[in-house]
Structure formats: C-alpha cells, structure tokens
Amino acid sequence: MSQLNVIGLERNNAEVLAERLNELLANYQIFYMNVRGFHWNVKGRDFFELHVKFEETYNDLLLKIDEIAERILTLGQRPLHAYSTYIKSSTIQETKDIHDGQACVREVLESYKTTIRLQREILDLANQSDDEGTSALMSDYIKEQEKTAWMLNAYLA
C-alpha cells in the first residue's frame, strides 16, 4: 500500500497537517460566532462603522472556515463539525456580553493574533511536508490578517 495520499503527500504528514488545520478550524468557528455577536450587539459612537466592519469580518471568516474544511478533506481527512468539539479544541474562547465597540475590537485583534500564530505553525509544518496547497493558503491568510491586525491596532491607539 502506498504511503502517499491522493494528492501525493505522505499520509502521516497529511494526518498531522489535518489535525492542526482542525485546530485552526475550531478557532475560526469560535472567532466567527464572537464577531457575529459583536455585529449584533455593539453599542457606542462607532456603532455604524463597527457594525459594517464586523459584518465584513464575519463574512470573510465564514469563507475561510469553508476553505479550511475543504483543505482538510483534500488531505484525505475529516473536518471537525460539532460545535461542542470546536469549544473544546479552540484556543479562542467564547466572548459573552461585550457591547462596547473598543472592547469588541480588542477581542477581534486578540483572535487574529491567535489565528496568525496557528497559521504560521501550520505554514512551517506544510513547508516541511512539501504541501504547497496548505502553504499557499496559510501564507495568503497570514499576509491579509497581518494587515488587518495592524489596522485594528491603529484603530485602538
């Protein structure tokens, strides 16, 4: 039996990558729900600006959730799909009862810091495994989110 999966990666490497991608998926799911809550519940002078920004953010997160799950499937593995599992697997915690715009933005920034860190770890692992598909995905996410983190930090300054 071949040690390579359908896309030509070592099966063991693909399993390890999928485990880390599932961890990232769990974090994205919690991040997504937090931002949905911020969108619905934000209050304050910046309501109009933040309401729109949070919608833009959660729509982007939703696209990434789907891309990550599909990458896990491409690696020949299964994506997590139970919210209870996401809660247990995520570093990002559920955020409850935050309505202040500045506090919401701080939470979004902290979540980006978490996803960027995880994505860098997955990028390194993907590069070691010659997994160009996962590397490219993580690289694209990191580049985009580093700029977003800079902008959110500037907003809070």
Side-chain angles (χ1 to χ4, degrees):
M1 183 172 164
S2 173
Q3 295 300 321
L4 301 180
N5 67 9
V6 71
I7 61 172
L9 295 177
E10 293 286 334
R11 289 181 194 274
N12 291 339
N13 291 346
E15 283 181 32
V16 172
L17 280 163
E19 286 174 16
R20 295 308 309 274
L21 286 167
N22 264 317
E23 180 184 347
L24 183 63
L25 178 63
N27 277 278
Y28 267 101
Q29 289 283 19
I30 304 303
F31 189 6
Y32 168 81
M33 286 307 299
N34 287 343
V35 176
R36 283 301 294 243
F38 300 153
H39 169 77
W40 294 327
N41 295 300
V42 69
K43 294 180 180 176
R45 320 183 299 187
D46 297 332
F47 168 81
F48 291 105
E49 178 183 359
L50 291 176
H51 184 74
V52 171
K53 186 62 177 173
F54 293 148
E55 182 175 10
E56 175 187 307
T57 301
Y58 74 67
N59 283 330
D60 179 64
L61 294 170
L62 189 58
L63 288 173
K64 285 176 173 54
I65 287 166
D66 192 54
E67 290 173 341
I68 294 165
E70 288 178 351
R71 187 65 197 166
I72 293 166
L73 289 164
T74 301
L75 291 170
Q77 304 299 310
R78 294 182 121 174
L80 300 174
H81 63 275
Y83 206 75
S84 58
T85 307
Y86 297 143
I87 294 282
K88 291 176 187 171
S89 303
S90 178
T91 305
I92 297 171
Q93 299 297 305
E94 285 182 303
T95 304
K96 300 175 186 175
D97 299 322
I98 296 181
H99 311 287
D100 174 69
Q102 295 283 312
C104 293
V105 171
R106 278 192 295 278
E107 289 293 323
V108 170
L109 180 56
E110 287 304 312
S111 294
Y112 275 123
K113 288 178 183 179
T114 298
T115 58
I116 291 168
R117 180 187 51 76
L118 285 169
Q119 289 161 170
R120 283 189 182 125
E121 292 171 7
I122 294 168
L123 176 63
D124 288 342
L125 187 59
N127 287 336
Q128 293 169 21
S129 302
D130 293 326
D131 179 0
E132 180 61 32
T134 302
S135 293
L137 194 64
M138 294 301 102
S139 182
D140 289 348
Y141 290 1
I142 292 166
K143 178 182 175 189
E144 174 190 322
Q145 292 170 3
E146 285 176 341
K147 183 175 182 180
T148 301
W150 160 66
M151 291 179 170
L152 292 171
N153 194 56
Y155 176 86
L156 292 170

